[in-house]
Amino acid sequence: MASRAVSGYLLCAVALVFLVLLQGTQSVYIQYQGFQVQLKSVKKLNDLVGQWVPGPSLQDQSPQPSVCHHPALPLDLRPICASKDAASIFQALRTIANDDCELCVNVACTGCS
């Protein structure tokens, strides 16, 4: 019987560790205009916007925001580039991400604690 109790406690401990690890890997998401993107992707967007300037020929040829042509644009942000409102959506996401999204202050944020 003692071995059953020990294995029961061990199983509970393993389950608890698993739940703690699972909760730590959950991402914070921002939902806006029908798009759901990860907060870390929007932070990456902020970095890309600040560091990358496309060539003049690319700026003249494309109605999309220049960041849509950046090879490091996160995959979950790429569908936004197909929207005619891509520039305003990217700007809104950047603003939301700066509003303490990790603390769920903004209602557009989910998955935060």
Side-chain angles (χ1 to χ4, degrees):
M1 275 209 190
S3 64
R4 279 191 165 166
V6 169
S7 59
Y9 287 124
L10 183 60
L11 182 60
C12 287
V14 169
L16 182 63
V17 168
F18 178 73
L19 288 174
V20 169
L21 290 175
L22 180 63
Q23 187 173 13
T25 61
Q26 289 181 346
S27 295
V28 176
Y29 288 91
I30 300 174
Q31 294 179 333
Y32 184 78
Q33 297 287 323
F35 296 99
Q36 182 175 357
V37 297
Q38 291 185 3
L39 176 61
K40 67 181 181 179
S41 296
V42 178
K43 289 182 176 185
K44 175 75 172 179
L45 173 67
N46 282 334
D47 294 340
L48 296 177
V49 168
Q51 73 183 14
W52 193 62
V53 179
S57 62
L58 184 58
Q59 288 176 342
D60 295 338
Q61 294 175 354
S62 177
Q64 295 177 325
S66 60
V67 74
C68 287
H69 302 286
H70 197 294
L73 184 68
L75 293 177
D76 59 336
L77 294 176
R78 292 185 186 268
I80 296 171
C81 293
S83 170
K84 63 180 173 71
D85 300 322
S88 63
I89 292 171
F90 281 139
Q91 184 57 46
L93 289 173
R94 293 174 66 207
T95 300
I96 291 168
N98 290 330
D99 286 343
D100 294 327
C101 199
E102 289 155 304
L103 301 175
C104 276
V105 173
N106 193 310
V107 295
C109 305
T110 59
C112 39
S113 49

